[in-house]
Amino acid sequence: MRQVTKVGRPRVRAMRQNDVPAAVALAARAFPGMPAWSERQLRRHLEVFPYGQLVAEDDGGRLLGTASALVVRWDDYDELAPWRVITGDGYFSTHDAAGFTLYGADIGVDPAARRRGVGQCLYDARKALARRLGLRRIIAGERIPGYAEVADRLTPADYVAEVVAGKRHDPVLSFQLANGFQVRRVIPGYLGSDKDSLGHATLLVWRNPELDAAAPKQA
């Protein structure tokens, strides 16, 4: 089993070019059976929007988690748009610095470092970035990996409703709800390689409390 230092709170910082090989390997461990980031994609992210690319590391400088994000004009997209459309097939060619929405493309945590607050640290840093850049919201399409186990008796919408009501736990959605995200809808066919979610995802939004939540949805 992969060993990770167990001392101290994870430290979040901006991703650097020399982090890329380790970040690619981490993505493969975090999402086995699903396409991982390529080095070319991550290096492109750093060229397009370096502020949105984050890593969490332990006291020894070993990567524990990564987060990738871009800025978009949200009104340009259908809410049912799949991940590949919003992210430009993972290359972030859709990044638009004039937008007001931070789109969370991915957060991955090394399986050996889970339940250590790594994901929480990355989400806190992502929210801080949205505030610093004056963005109105964070939007993300998030997996519902517990769904496949109950798909024979629940629709995706029913499953999500039970998680939101606290009647059922989902390892991703329950965490997002605890972080202040709200469910806007269920997206079918969001990420076809996600067998645990049967390709479904939830469209989630976190609104920047420092801006008027009632402002128009523009961008």
Side-chain angles (χ1 to χ4, degrees):
M1 178 181 293
R2 179 179 170 81
Q3 298 297 315
V4 176
T5 307
K6 296 185 177 180
V7 178
R9 177 178 171 83
R11 183 173 75 94
V12 177
R13 60 169 173 79
M15 183 182 288
R16 299 188 287 257
Q17 288 286 352
N18 61 2
D19 293 317
V20 168
V24 169
L26 187 150
R29 293 193 300 274
F31 304 108
M34 297 174 62
W37 291 120
S38 68
E39 287 199 18
R40 184 181 175 191
Q41 286 172 321
L42 292 183
R43 294 191 191 283
R44 184 58 180 159
H45 299 173
L46 290 171
E47 293 172 3
V48 170
F49 183 45
Y51 301 115
Q53 320 317 315
L54 306 171
V55 300
E57 61 184 8
D58 64 14
D59 292 342
R62 190 173 307 170
L63 259 58
L64 307 178
T66 66
S68 302
L70 63 156
V71 175
V72 298
R73 292 177 179 264
W74 185 244
D75 286 355
D76 291 348
Y77 296 92
D78 188 304
E79 289 197 343
L80 293 176
W83 181 91
R84 61 178 178 78
V85 170
I86 302 170
T87 65
D89 285 321
Y91 285 93
F92 291 7
S93 58
T94 49
H95 172 73
D96 187 339
F100 288 96
T101 297
L102 186 67
Y103 188 81
D106 173 72
I107 282 187
V109 176
D110 191 316
R114 287 174 182 162
R115 293 178 292 279
R116 290 184 49 198
V118 178
Q120 186 65 61
C121 289
L122 289 167
Y123 269 97
D124 290 346
R126 187 175 273 177
K127 290 176 182 178
L129 175 65
R131 292 187 178 99
R132 179 162 61 89
L133 297 181
L135 302 177
R136 293 175 182 156
R137 66 188 73 77
I138 300 172
I139 281 182
E142 292 291 351
R143 306 170 61 230
I144 45 174
Y147 177 61
E149 297 179 1
V150 297
D152 60 333
R153 56 186 185 276
L154 289 176
T155 67
D158 289 340
Y159 174 82
V160 169
E162 289 195 2
V163 176
V164 171
K167 297 178 181 179
R168 187 178 296 276
H169 177 82
D170 180 87
V172 174
L173 180 54
S174 296
F175 174 76
Q176 302 283 11
L177 295 171
N179 269 278
F181 282 81
Q182 298 176 325
V183 176
R184 291 176 68 117
R185 68 186 308 157
V186 175
I187 313 172
Y190 179 74
L191 198 60
S193 61
D194 183 5
K195 295 180 181 179
D196 291 338
S197 307
L198 299 184
H200 299 286
T202 51
L203 183 65
L204 302 176
V205 60
W206 173 86
R207 300 184 188 282
N208 184 348
E210 296 177 7
L211 299 177
D212 183 4
K217 195 181 80 167
Q218 178 187 358

